[in-house]
Amino acid sequence: ETGVTQTPRHLVMGMTNKKSLKCEQHLGHNAMYWYKQSAKKPLELMFVYNFKEQTENNSVPSRFSPECPNSSHLFLHLHTLQPEDSALYLCASSQDARNTEAFFGQGTRLTVV
Amino acid sequence: GEDVEQSLFLSVREGDSSVINCTYTDSSSTYLYWYKQEPGAGLQLLTYIFSNMDMKQDQRLTVLLNKKDKHLSLRIADTQTGDSAIYFCAELRAGSYQLTFGKGTKLSVIP
């Protein structure tokens, strides 16, 4: 148990569906992150939130929409995804966005059909 | 180069030492990290080293940093079957929020 919990663990969705990934951290951290892990590629940072404010968006398509209602919760809203969006989506948190020690959740394995 | 480089695979016998190597990209990177990912799981922070250090030891883990060559290594002493996993090297570049990861080294421990 790392203190960062992601739900669901697995998700299969059609290209026309709308779904959301949830991340919750119990570490008292102020920064939260979404990463995408695809086969045979390095982890890709998608979004950074620091004290609930989005500080980084790494050219992520608009079909991915993050939401950070408070420092403990982070969502990733998904709509009209493509099969190539199938991947493991990892949430992480750190004390602040200097990111000196980031803790990761177990990830949501997303399959788009 | 632009990428953090790691060998993709490493096989060792149980009880031997494992050495996983990494070449990172930015000589001004402030922190260098090793993460472990077991099958079906997220990333677990194993250890990290600040860029002004050459070595860090934590139980069975030894991290060596060669800033001149931008080379980072992770040595696991007395490797166990439970150490089988993918190990990711990552750097935190100066002035950036972003961890830059390698593609990971899959360590297989042979009983």
Side-chain angles (χ1 to χ4, degrees):
Chain A
E1 175 58 52
T2 65
V4 180
T5 305
Q6 290 186 243
T7 54
R9 292 291 309 279
H10 302 273
L11 178 62
V12 179
M13 60 185 289
M15 289 189 282
T16 58
N17 291 160
K18 288 184 180 181
K19 296 286 184 183
S20 296
L21 310 185
K22 180 183 176 183
C23 177
E24 184 174 0
Q25 57 95 1
H26 312 279
L27 301 169
H29 289 166
N30 296 302
M32 296 186 77
Y33 312 80
W34 281 117
Y35 282 86
K36 177 183 179 182
Q37 186 180 26
S38 305
K40 300 180 182 177
K41 292 175 69 175
L43 268 76
E44 301 169 69
L45 179 66
M46 300 174 73
F47 302 105
V48 180
Y49 277 83
N50 195 34
F51 293 92
K52 302 189 296 178
E53 298 294 323
Q54 187 179 134
T55 56
E56 196 142 342
N57 174 341
N58 264 8
S59 304
V60 180
S62 60
R63 58 186 185 269
F64 295 91
S65 173
E67 180 191 0
C68 188
N70 55 62
S71 293
S72 300
H73 293 86
L74 185 66
F75 295 90
L76 188 62
H77 303 299
L78 315 171
H79 64 97
T80 58
L81 295 192
Q82 305 298 312
E84 60 265 29
D85 296 322
S86 299
L88 181 68
Y89 288 85
L90 291 163
C91 173
S93 71
S94 62
Q95 186 59 47
D96 55 47
R98 288 175 299 166
N99 207 355
T100 52
E101 196 167 341
F103 292 85
F104 283 77
Q106 292 184 300
T108 295
R109 172 67 64 185
L110 174 68
T111 303
V112 181
V113 297
Chain B
E2 289 296 315
D3 296 334
V4 176
E5 302 283 352
Q6 298 178 241
S7 298
L8 293 181
F9 302 99
L10 176 66
S11 264
V12 298
R13 293 205 173 274
E14 190 174 13
D16 288 350
S17 292
S18 309
V19 179
I20 303 171
N21 293 301
C22 169
T23 303
Y24 59 99
T25 67
D26 188 348
S27 59
S28 65
S29 288
T30 52
Y31 289 87
L32 290 306
Y33 300 82
W34 284 106
Y35 281 87
K36 176 184 180 182
Q37 186 177 34
E38 296 181 13
L43 273 68
Q44 173 194 354
L45 177 63
L46 277 181
T47 187
Y48 63 94
I49 187 168
F50 188 50
S51 58
N52 69 351
M53 298 169 64
D54 297 324
M55 186 181 86
K56 181 178 180 181
Q57 189 153 2
D58 183 2
Q59 299 182 337
R60 292 191 298 123
L61 305 179
T62 303
V63 178
L64 296 178
L65 176 61
N66 180 330
K67 283 189 69 175
K68 174 177 169 292
D69 296 336
K70 291 182 283 186
H71 185 262
L72 183 74
S73 68
L74 174 70
R75 178 176 181 270
I76 305 173
D78 186 25
T79 312
Q80 303 297 307
T81 54
D83 296 322
S84 294
I86 300 175
Y87 291 81
F88 292 90
C89 166
E91 63 177 333
L92 183 64
R93 295 173 179 167
S96 171
Y97 297 145
Q98 183 167 339
L99 284 173
T100 302
F101 286 83
K103 292 182 182 179
T105 299
K106 184 174 183 178
L107 174 65
S108 298
V109 181
I110 305 163

